[in-house]
Amino acid sequence: MLLTLAVLFIGQAGLGGTTVVCILLISTFVKTQMVADYFMGLKRTRLIWRAIVTVYLLLVMSLIGLAYWLSLS
Amino acid sequence: MNKVDTISAPHPKGYYPPGDFAIWFFIYAELLAFGVFFVTYAFARTYNVEMFNASQLELNRTAGAINTVLLITSSYFVIRAVAAIREDQQNLCVKWLFAAIFLGGMFLVVKIIEFKAKFAAGISLSTNTFYTFYFSMTVFHFMHVILGMIILGAVMLKARRGGYSSQEHTGVETGASYWHMVDLVWIILFPLVYVIR
């Protein structure tokens, strides 16, 4: 919830740039991984089930980060 | 987090995820589809950053944040429903599921208000590339929220008739897993489309 409020604050302030994009992507990764681990219950399953989501999230966040880095540079 | 960790993960390490095994293939396929959407949006943006940034400023970020809180809270209610049925508390399970569905309905109401405001301003799917992505992704997700509510509704009705117990509640876990996926996708969609610039 706090991370969501922080994201809203950044959005309302109209902040941008490499650092802000990195912070937003990392906070999104942390939140989604927590949903997968604790809400979906993947933390206590066989590693492969959790790894699929973690790799997926890392891949999506990295590609989004790459696209934003290309547009900023 | 310890309590949530305990109630959402009943199996010892080395087992399959909660719910029907088949739903997980569906969940991973859905995540892949949304992932393609997200990455395509990000790269499409590189071709016209100014237009994407200007259009993004027209979105209602407060509504997006409210919807994030609604879905996360709703997901927590679903966890409570699963915890209740594991303790054979059918009535409590039904109440938590009803609360989760209600918040899902609130999400839809906020989204409809947002869509109406956009249409009233003359903005549609064909206004520009940003809005093509905005409407495509949010409507696609909107449909998933509706499907999730239908699944949770069916689970709630069965739970109300005493169809689940502490011994057999795979259906509740299956519905819960799908609902959490809908939540997870929105947690990515909100910052990507509404905030990151």
Side-chain angles (χ1 to χ4, degrees):
Chain A
M1 295 295 184
L2 287 174
L3 283 174
T4 302
L5 288 175
V7 170
L8 176 63
F9 170 77
I10 289 170
Q12 297 293 41
L15 299 176
T18 312
T19 310
V20 174
V21 171
C22 284
I23 290 169
L24 287 169
L25 289 176
I26 290 168
S27 77
T28 303
F29 173 76
V30 169
K31 274 203 289 186
T32 45
Q33 187 66 59
M34 283 173 77
V35 168
D37 285 350
Y38 300 105
F39 283 17
M40 296 172 121
L42 293 180
K43 197 169 187 183
R44 291 198 176 182
T45 59
R46 194 176 289 171
L47 182 65
I48 182 69
W49 298 104
R50 188 182 183 217
I52 290 171
V53 176
T54 304
V55 169
Y56 163 83
L57 292 173
L58 284 173
L59 191 65
V60 169
M61 298 302 154
S62 301
L63 288 171
I64 292 171
L66 174 67
Y68 276 75
W69 178 75
L70 287 173
S71 66
L72 287 168
S73 59
Chain B
M1 274 299 171
N2 287 340
K3 190 173 184 184
V4 175
D5 186 22
T6 307
I7 60 177
S8 64
H11 311 297
K13 230 175 166 52
Y15 276 72
Y16 297 113
D20 194 306
F21 189 57
I23 194 71
W24 286 92
F25 288 98
F26 189 57
I27 286 172
Y28 290 136
E30 295 277 26
L31 287 177
L32 187 64
F34 275 104
V36 170
F37 252 132
F38 297 151
V39 173
T40 310
Y41 165 89
F43 279 96
R45 181 182 171 277
T46 59
Y47 292 100
N48 201 338
V49 177
E50 288 76 22
M51 181 267 286
F52 268 70
N53 284 349
S55 300
Q56 191 187 51
L57 280 178
E58 295 167 359
L59 298 183
N60 188 339
R61 283 173 295 281
T62 306
I66 289 170
N67 269 346
T68 308
V69 172
L70 285 172
L71 276 191
I72 293 174
T73 309
S74 171
S75 258
Y76 177 74
F77 287 172
V78 168
I79 283 178
R80 300 308 312 168
V82 174
I85 200 64
R86 282 181 190 150
E87 292 167 4
D88 261 330
Q89 295 179 297
Q90 278 96 348
N91 287 339
L92 194 58
C93 174
V94 169
K95 284 175 185 168
W96 283 118
L97 284 174
F98 178 80
I101 294 168
F102 177 77
L103 290 191
M106 293 294 292
F107 175 95
L108 296 182
V109 169
V110 173
K111 212 80 208 78
I112 288 168
I113 292 170
E114 243 191 291
F115 286 147
K116 273 188 79 174
K118 286 284 160 281
F119 292 137
I123 295 167
S124 69
L125 192 74
S126 54
T127 299
N128 59 34
T129 314
F130 173 84
Y131 279 110
T132 303
F133 276 104
Y134 167 75
F135 282 113
S136 301
M137 289 196 286
T138 53
V139 169
F140 191 46
H141 181 266
F142 188 93
M143 303 304 282
H144 282 75
V145 175
I146 292 173
L147 179 59
M149 286 172 67
I150 291 170
I151 292 170
L152 289 184
V155 169
M156 185 181 76
L157 289 176
K158 188 174 175 183
R160 201 173 165 208
R161 291 195 302 267
Y164 298 112
S165 66
S166 58
Q167 302 301 314
E168 171 42 42
H169 50 266
T170 309
V172 184
E173 290 180 341
T174 303
S177 298
Y178 184 83
W179 191 250
H180 297 319
M181 183 275 292
V182 172
D183 180 23
L184 186 150
V185 167
W186 179 259
I187 290 173
I188 303 173
L189 203 158
F190 168 58
L192 178 65
V193 177
Y194 288 74
V195 179
I196 300 178
R197 51 178 46 252

